[in-house]
Amino acid sequence: GIDMKRKSSFSLLDHIKRPMDGADENPDQKEKMEKLWKLMETYEPNDPESIQKSFARHLEYSLACTRFNFTMQDAYRAAGLVLRDRLLESLNDTNAYYRKMDVKRGYYLSAEYLIGRHMQNAIANLDLEQPFKEAFHALGMQLEDLFHEEVDPALGNGGLGRLAACFLDSMATLSLPCWGYGIRYSYGMFKQDIQNGRQVEMPDFWIGDGCPFEIPRPDITYPVRLYGEVQEGLNAQGEWCLNWVGGDIVQAMAYDNPIPGFDTYNTNNLRLWRACPTKEFDLDQYSAANFTDAVEARRKAEDLSAVLYPNDASYEGRELRLRQQYFFVSASLQDLLREFIKRPNYKWSELPEKVAVQMNDTHPTIAVAEFMRLLVDVMHVPWDEAWELTTKCLNYTNHTVMPEALEKWPVEMMTRMLPRHVQIIGELNLRWINGLVAKYGDGPIIAALSIFEEGDVKKIRMGNLAIMGSNKVNGVAALHTEIIKKETFPDFYKYCCDTGAPDKIVNMTNGVTPRRWVHCANPALSAIFTKYLGSHEWLTDMTKLKGMLKFKEDPKLHAEWMEMKKTAKKKLAGFLKETLDLEIDQDALIDIQIKRIHEYKRQFMNCLYVIHRYQQLKKMSPAEREKVQKRVVLIGGKAASAYVNAKLIIKLINNVGKVINNDPDTGKLLKLAFVPNYRVSAAEVLIPASDISEHISTAGTEASGTSNMKFVMNGGLIVGTMDGANIEIREECGEDTMFIFGCLEHEVAGIAAKAKEGHYPIDSRLQAVFQAIRNGEFSKGEPEAHAEFCSLVDKLCNTHGAGTWDGDRYLVVHDFPSFVDAQAKVDATYADKAKWCKLSIQAASSMAKFSTDRTISEYADVIWGVKPAPRPMEM
Amino acid sequence: GIDMKRKSSFSLLDHIKRPMDGADENPDQKEKMEKLWKLMETYEPNDPESIQKSFARHLEYSLACTRFNFTMQDAYRAAGLVLRDRLLESLNDTNAYYRKMDVKRGYYLSAEYLIGRHMQNAIANLDLEQPFKEAFHALGMQLEDLFHEEVDPALGNGGLGRLAACFLDSMATLSLPCWGYGIRYSYGMFKQDIQNGRQVEMPDFWIGDGCPFEIPRPDITYPVRLYGEVQEGLNAQGEWCLNWVGGDIVQAMAYDNPIPGFDTYNTNNLRLWRACPTKEFDLDQYSAANFTDAVEARRKAEDLSAVLYPNDASYEGRELRLRQQYFFVSASLQDLLREFIKRPNYKWSELPEKVAVQMNDTHPTIAVAEFMRLLVDVMHVPWDEAWELTTKCLNYTNHTVMPEALEKWPVEMMTRMLPRHVQIIGELNLRWINGLVAKYGDGPIIAALSIFEEGDVKKIRMGNLAIMGSNKVNGVAALHTEIIKKETFPDFYKYCCDTGAPDKIVNMTNGVTPRRWVHCANPALSAIFTKYLGSHEWLTDMTKLKGMLKFKEDPKLHAEWMEMKKTAKKKLAGFLKETLDLEIDQDALIDIQIKRIHEYKRQFMNCLYVIHRYQQLKKMSPAEREKVQKRVVLIGGKAASAYVNAKLIIKLINNVGKVINNDPDTGKLLKLAFVPNYRVSAAEVLIPASDISEHISTAGTEASGTSNMKFVMNGGLIVGTMDGANIEIREECGEDTMFIFGCLEHEVAGIAAKAKEGHYPIDSRLQAVFQAIRNGEFSKGEPEAHAEFCSLVDKLCNTHGAGTWDGDRYLVVHDFPSFVDAQAKVDATYADKAKWCKLSIQAASSMAKFSTDRTISEYADVIWGVKPAPRPMEM
Ligand SMILES: Cc1ncc(COP(=O)(O)O)c(C=O)c1O
Ligand SMILES: Cc1ncc(COP(=O)(O)O)c(C=O)c1O
């Protein structure tokens, strides 16, 4: 095997003395505690024997299994607890070190984390693969079998949540003192089941059996108030102040999820909040109610963190959503401010030197008002100073270019729920508008920049609040950041430029962590890189992969590379057999599109292309068919539960698959399958196996995309539009590595305008596809499905409506011909195995920019001013 | 110190090889598991050093505290986990041993367990007091301080629940293979706060911070169905059968609470069920609903085990109460039947040789129908055989003589909730009634014995169902059992006698465990017994205490005995100072009444007596007062939240206390205080300190009482009526040890009848007390309280209503004069210290009958046919 030669490895920690950072926190205890400290002075050893002992102990004492009767699920949980012990030591010691060094800290606030399974990742990051393998092998178990027992904690909808998870991995790996904050939903993202081709959403009670990687912290709780009213009063200093009183108080209890870095001894924390009933009582309110009602009311508190809302939440759900957002933001800010004021002789003016907060999308942006409230009302910082601190500490990431997706809350609703915050926002807006009027006079720019949106229902625009309250605002890919400046917030950008701060809006292109997405998901590829480069350093410095380029024509590498793909395809084949009972030809080109199902992502276009390809095959003679490249098209993703068209597209894909896969003429040459319940652990199996993947959103709609990066890092090539991060990936990897098609972002408006004038031709090949659908060739005798499929097609054919909700909003018709051409080019290129292999190596080796290590380093430098603080280890 | 010389002590287990019982359960695993077994082959060592190590590990790894920063609460939890490890080993090995020996098992089904704090009890029962003391002393901690951190798990209302807890202790101590089953309420019995003299109920979210003594068992779950409908169908064998389908399915998840025995290596289990959402789905029903609604519905499942209902639950609460009862009964019976059929080559006919079930009160009596359903519908046992098995396995304890307290459920409600059970009950009743009519012809006995009660709302009488479905029925004290036969179920008793089974109804006088109530609560007394008797054997054989009688006049013992009382009073004084800021004179006679507040328990009469005593004192000259015995009267207990009069009595006691305690004439001589939030841990402080205690229920109303036993075991004497177990205590201890007063049970009806005729005189001393109340002397200027107090008095003065709800139902007026006399006799006797001391020793040493060891031995012999199976330990 290859010696990983990591500098920092937990396997080196056996019997190493732990540092005493923090020992003087309670000087009076010191004397009598010395005996205890002695007992805890070394780290848990990590040799296979010690791992086995620790495993056995957890099996019996923590899980209450008998030695003679436990399941693989029990074994997984016990192994998880073995890791938890190690993670906890490291988490505790890392935090003590950060405190000792009095470092500036970054806090990432996100309503979603699509963290994926912990176990394999933790073992890899701690560098304990070898001893764990040995330990369990001797007990007759395979590590992989344990990994499979873990359920994905799915506390996010899609890309935004997965990005947050990759960010955490990079923060820890870079030894940055950064924590994540979020919500511990009892029910995560729904599980997707496919029944007769249609999506059925099933509740995901992921926490059911307990997660061994999380640490409940009953000692860390904060009260969070909702509703109630604001009263005038005097504070402890006898000064006039406003007090928010009454309403309901919910307790936020911390659940910590240690995030170990790779090749470092640092372990950071993802702190998720769970809503619990308070322990304190408002006795007056209380004794009035009857006992069981009072208990009921308290139990309702727990609803707050019960469910992750699918991102289509309807109005009724939305009030709860705002409550969730405020709940986790308030608890997080209270927690980080408590950490700040724990510092001896703290001064408020130092806050921006010690604290940077990142708001991930608009979900946590109530933080602007809450930060002000905590500083002004609770900490008694004067208003102007508080505002300066707020705008120096907070930062905001925009994730969407669609103005209708920026959250806005009815003033009426927020006034009921957060009366003090509406006052604060009103005061902030007043001062802001006064300044603007002084500068620009009264005009449309004032209305555009106001936090309040007038109209039938007066609303608070969280996007505007976020920008106003932030130090930096960023987009997530180059094109996206440009669109933000020019289209989403043009007036803000103008204001920034006019006030000499054009760099308030910056670009931070997204990334992915190579530890999970290459090293863990594709061990064969990781081994190739390490072998050819002579070290594992590429895993923490992806620019090292450039060193692979000199081998890109090396037949030996080609052979190993193709073997690597084969291994991945074999694993995928096993997965498809198990989940779908589908057999695939492992020599086929594997073509994958996995992501949330959305019209803008154009899974529909992909499906139309597959029908077209099927029609072509059907027209051919058997001899002609022989020459066609075999292809397996896999589409997967969840549709928001209320998103009718997205769910229809799933049904169409399934029906088309049924027809094609069972047609003896084509079944061997073309397969189409819908992969159910797409999630992180499925992505880890799918991505390494792809030859091509589809990232085909209409130009200007996908902010960045991150699965595109994962595919290319694994040697897959992209069929894509000039959208999101595709553009930058192409720049890095070379134009020849990407099959680009479709209109450009700046062309979209013109195309729609021309369509309105009647100029929106439908390609004859697409006409034929539409005809087949209308003929019911994929309706399988289901009248309801038939009508639905026709309605999808009818909408595309309303050429006058192209570019709008009434017609082909996402220009499928326009882009279809060039999409067909791009696919033809794929087949042609793939026919030349050596060329394909070269392109694959070239692309995979050019992806340094898309490591979240690069992304996070930029955030740390440009936005947060947070520096690495690697924990030294005295051996 | 005294060497306890226990035969079985966990301190002897260090490095002892554990038995391999169960190792061949999975023969295929054997080979590869041997390595693992090797790692777990010895017990956790129990020397102080090992305890410290284990403590340190739990502090950091289980609780995630740092070495430098933990609270006493954390230390308590870590110490709890140290014990949990030991308890788990023993629980697992005990159960494997029971399986190996294929013993008959007893299962105690109770909706309530008032288990009290675990820690001190566990340490004592495992015989680890010495090493634990040393281990924590060296870490600068006192064990007692850890004990105080534990919150009482209060999963019961009062005596019935505490009895169940004492039973568990004796079952384990007697090495009987018996488990308890119940409900893991998230909210236990409310906490009682006193605000301006009135009770305020506060939710008790006891599980908030997690209890280290419970073991969640996500692997042990059973589905429990509610609602739905019954369909005809064919079973797997193609036979006609009825299937209960649809409705809601809730998952019951086990939480195990190890119950260690004293001086044995056996540890039994109290398995409590928590309601969780199911993992399975009824997809048809499911896809119809929208996603968030579906999640909501599943979350509601958790409501089932959320709250322990105070025993005054109103009708709305009652449907939930029946759901709770069915929920835990179904899970428990499924669990015990699974254990039965795990036995190789099981035959249904063997069931009564292997299983005995005790139903504690009517709460679990739906078990009769559920047992039938599981046998007939699920296990396909023929009806007649199933009924024979049911009536051989089940047994029922009646706890109340008041017919209105026997549960009855509307047929309509039960048909909706448990349609199959109503069918089964209907069929059972049909056969039963047919038999009865054949025997007696149609007549009133038929209506009385029917399970169904006719009327506006047709009801199912759970008491009748229980008796019909039981092998044995028992009362809980001699008098109570007689009342059951003659008044509560006279027709059943007649039927039993007529069918030659008069001993179907038996008496099992209640008891209490001397481990918790003497050894742990009163270590000084325990030490005296052990010293004088030369061994600790009295703790498992209370008849040994008779050996103390020969010392009852020994001045040396008297001195030690009085010292013991002083120690207990000092502790009580500290407790009162802390909770009430009340100073008491430790030379005063301590007079305690602690129990649920109820009119039949007559705390009101006690309060009226205190007023009378106060009036007497006020009338005296200072010189006369000098001669009066000082007294501190303590009253404590919770009132059901909807029980208006009980809550009023609390208010009266508090107001009277305020007046008396602050009156300079009497303050030193007489104190009255209401002890808030009475609970097991408070009982442990109060009981040892008492000189006298009040057990003064109207004759025939208190089934047994158990606190009376606890007081006497601690050397307190009783002021009591001829009711419940008082009668038997007096028999055992001697008439001179009890201050008896009041009418006898058989006189009650006559007194009420005479009252109706206008003959119900009110003693002039009581008149004076009434007058003072009416004058507002205790109203403290609160008009509302004044009116309420007067209404209480008015009711007593409605002499024509005596014995009914409209008047003095519980004959306070009738018994008052003799109560005053009894109290005078107390003072007189107490004046002679030597005599008092002798009586105290005599009583405490004569309580063998009231050890639950005796009670449980009788249950095991007479009812269950379960034999001790002590686990041998090869040293
Ligand atoms: C489960 C899951 N959902 C969504 C995404 C984001 O995919 P995309 O960037 O294609 O939108 C990922 C990325 O890997 C993922 O793993
Ligand atoms: C908390 C608690 N409640 C109720 C009881 C039962 O008391 P009694 O037998 O006086 O009704 C006890 C007995 O000790 C107890 O500890």
Side-chain angles (χ1 to χ4, degrees), chain A residues 336-391:
Chain A
L336 68 87
L337 288 177
R338 189 179 70 159
E339 180 69 30
F340 174 76
I341 63 182
K342 255 196 217 156
R343 299 166 56 254
N345 312 315
Y346 72 92
K347 292 201 218 68
W348 284 111
S349 60
E350 297 165 336
L351 193 66
E353 294 156 37
K354 295 300 169 193
V355 166
V357 175
Q358 191 68 37
M359 299 180 285
N360 194 27
D361 211 349
T362 50
H363 315 143
T365 48
I366 189 66
V368 175
E370 176 67 0
F371 211 78
M372 282 298 286
R373 187 187 72 84
L374 291 171
L375 291 178
V376 174
D377 293 3
V378 181
M379 306 291 181
H380 309 299
V381 178
W383 181 280
D384 290 321
E385 186 185 351
W387 183 237
E388 194 187 325
L389 296 176
T390 302
T391 52

Side-chain angles (χ1 to χ4, degrees), chain B residues 817-863:
Chain B
S818 63
F819 185 51
V820 174
D821 295 346
Q823 295 292 5
K825 206 171 150 202
V826 167
D827 287 332
T829 313
Y830 196 74
D832 181 347
K833 289 286 174 259
K835 181 174 178 197
W836 188 270
C837 205
K838 188 199 78 175
L839 290 172
S840 170
I841 295 167
Q842 175 183 325
S845 307
S846 307
M847 291 293 290
K849 179 173 179 186
F850 306 101
S851 164
T852 34
D853 296 347
R854 191 273 313 148
T855 316
I856 286 296
S857 298
E858 284 187 20
Y859 272 92
D861 274 1
V862 177
I863 302 184

Side-chain angles (χ1 to χ4, degrees), chain A residues 691-707:
Chain A
D691 294 303
I692 59 164
S693 62
E694 310 283 340
H695 306 276
I696 56 180
S697 51
T698 316
T701 59
E702 185 76 273
S704 159
T706 52
S707 81

Side-chain angles (χ1 to χ4, degrees), chain A residues 114 152 154 156-163 166 189 510 512 516-517 593-596 600-601 603 637-638 677-684 687 694-695 702 704-711:
Chain A
L114 209 49
D152 284 49
N157 272 285
L160 175 144
R162 181 55 231 173
L163 180 75
C166 283
M189 184 61 185
N510 282 346
V512 307
R516 180 177 293 266
W517 296 107
Q593 184 177 23
I594 40 176
K595 45 185 82 225
R596 289 302 293 268
Y600 87 77
K601 291 176 187 270
Q603 285 91 353
K638 292 174 185 174
N677 201 29
Y678 178 52
R679 62 201 184 280
V680 174
S681 60
E684 289 166 4
I687 290 173
E694 310 283 340
H695 306 276
E702 185 76 273
S704 159
T706 52
S707 81
N708 43 5
M709 303 166 184
K710 294 165 195 169
F711 279 105

Side-chain angles (χ1 to χ4, degrees), chain B residues 108-116 153-172 174 178-181 259 270 358-363 396-400 474-477 480-481 507-517 596 601 678-680 683-684 687 702-710 713 725 849-859 863-864:
Chain B
Y108 199 77
L109 267 53
S110 176
E112 305 187 10
Y113 290 92
L114 208 49
I115 202 93
L155 308 185
N157 272 285
L160 175 145
R162 181 55 231 171
L163 180 75
C166 283
F167 276 9
L168 293 175
D169 187 73
S170 283
M171 290 167 188
L174 293 166
C178 296
W179 280 20
Y181 281 118
I259 307 292
L270 168 58
Q358 191 68 37
M359 300 181 285
N360 194 28
D361 212 348
T362 49
H363 315 142
Y396 160 61
T397 303
N398 173 280
H399 279 275
T400 175
N474 74 284
V476 293
H480 171 227
T481 303
N507 177 50
M508 295 281 141
T509 300
N510 282 346
V512 306
T513 168
R515 272 75 62 183
R516 180 177 292 265
W517 295 108
R596 289 301 293 268
K601 291 177 186 274
Y678 178 51
R679 62 200 184 281
V680 175
E684 289 165 4
I687 290 172
E702 185 77 272
S704 159
T706 53
S707 80
N708 43 6
M709 302 166 184
K710 294 165 194 169
M713 278 188 195
K849 179 173 179 186
F850 306 101
S851 164
T852 34
D853 296 347
R854 191 273 313 148
T855 316
I856 286 296
S857 298
E858 284 187 20
Y859 272 92
I863 302 184
W864 305 333

Side-chain angles (χ1 to χ4, degrees), chain A residues 271-289:
Chain A
R271 178 160 284 176
L272 301 178
W273 301 104
R274 175 182 179 186
C276 297
T278 34
K279 293 195 191 142
E280 298 98 56
F281 298 91
D282 183 345
L283 268 172
D284 285 344
Q285 185 200 317
Y286 194 69
S287 47

